[in-house]
Amino acid sequence: LTVVLNQPSDINFVSSFSPIIDRFDLLAVCPQSEKLLQQVLGLEVDILCFDFTKKLPFRIKRPHLNVALEKGVMFEIQYAHLLRSSATRRTCITSSLELLETVKGKNVILSSGAANVMEIRGPYDAMNLCSMFDVESSLAKNFVTANSREAVRHGQLRGKTFKSAVAFQPPRERQLNVGPDVEEDKSQEPEVNDSGSEESEASDSVNMEEEEEEDHET
């Protein structure tokens, strides 16, 4: 789920009290102002993205993104913008380079952002598109593979733990056997071997008779 934040009231949709965020595995936010970006940094989100189709109305500052890096938040770049008009491609490259320079290539994921099937590319083609950002091939590979897996892992921790530290599990309900099940359980109880008990009683009586005969002889 990607939530575009245009005004302060939109923060309520991604707060911890919102019932919507628990329905999705990954939660991404796209703040449209520096003030909204600061508010987002105090929330539990998985991905932080920006609208690179146009010039950002604010400058991305390193202190703000360092807070997101410490929390394990990923930064999304969509390669579909590189496949469209030259003006959109130029704006996307300029803004992406600013982001990559600020975070030094850390915690960046490359997604499609495709509006139709023709804009979807395979993983190797997506990595080749990173050459427009002048990044190394190993770093481009992380954008598509390792960092993407880490984003999924972050989403799992966000949804099933408290501050990625404590996991909550519902208590198991005790199953009570009633009706026919009780009879089945009773039928499964170990049976007593009556023949074995009769043999032991017979042997005891024989031993008692032998002792009486010995006492009589003495």
Side-chain angles (χ1 to χ4, degrees):
L1 174 66
T2 301
V3 181
V4 180
L5 304 178
N6 295 306
Q7 52 188 356
S9 60
D10 295 338
I11 295 291
N12 298 328
F13 291 102
V14 293
S15 65
S16 58
F17 301 101
S18 176
I20 300 177
I21 60 176
D22 294 335
R23 303 177 185 175
F24 299 90
D25 297 328
L26 289 174
L27 177 62
V29 294
C30 183
Q32 300 296 312
S33 67
E34 184 177 359
K35 184 178 180 180
L36 291 173
L37 174 60
Q38 294 176 359
Q39 294 179 352
V40 166
L41 296 177
L43 303 176
E44 293 294 330
V45 299
D46 306 315
I47 300 173
L48 193 61
C49 56
F50 303 97
D51 186 6
F52 287 159
T53 59
K54 56 185 179 182
K55 186 178 180 180
L56 295 178
F58 60 96
R59 184 175 179 82
I60 302 176
K61 297 181 181 179
R62 188 185 301 272
H64 295 160
L65 300 189
N66 285 341
V67 175
L69 288 172
E70 293 176 357
K71 298 177 66 175
V73 178
M74 295 292 164
F75 303 97
E76 181 183 15
I77 296 177
Q78 299 178 351
Y79 64 75
H81 303 324
L82 303 173
L83 307 175
R84 297 169 184 170
S85 63
S86 58
T88 303
R89 185 186 307 112
R90 190 183 309 110
T91 304
C92 179
I93 293 175
T94 302
S95 301
S96 299
L97 288 174
E98 182 181 354
L99 174 64
L100 292 171
E101 183 180 357
T102 304
V103 299
K104 298 181 180 180
K106 298 179 181 179
N107 290 27
V108 175
I109 61 174
L110 188 67
S111 64
S112 66
N116 53 68
V117 179
M118 299 301 296
E119 293 181 345
I120 298 178
R121 295 293 184 271
Y124 289 101
D125 292 336
M127 287 187 285
N128 291 332
L129 289 173
C130 290
S131 60
M132 298 184 182
F133 306 136
D134 194 22
V135 298
E136 298 178 357
S137 58
S138 59
L139 198 59
K141 183 178 179 180
N142 290 336
F143 293 171
V144 179
T145 58
N147 293 353
S148 299
R149 288 194 297 267
E150 188 63 26
V152 175
R153 177 177 173 273
H154 188 276
Q156 293 174 345
L157 293 175
R158 173 187 56 81
K160 299 181 180 180
T161 63
F162 176 71
K163 293 185 177 180
S164 303
V166 181
F168 295 94
Q169 293 183 352
R172 295 181 178 179
E173 296 182 358
R174 183 179 179 182
Q175 296 181 355
L176 299 177
N177 294 323
V178 294
D181 295 338
V182 176
E183 298 178 356
E184 294 178 1
D185 293 341
K186 290 182 178 179
S187 63
Q188 295 177 359
E189 293 180 355
E191 298 179 355
V192 179
N193 191 349
D194 296 335
S195 61
S197 62
E198 293 177 356
E199 292 178 358
S200 61
E201 291 177 357
S203 61
D204 293 340
S205 62
V206 172
N207 293 334
M208 292 176 65
E209 291 177 357
E210 292 177 353
E211 292 178 356
E212 290 177 357
E213 290 178 358
E214 292 176 357
D215 293 340
H216 182 69
E217 292 176 357
T218 57

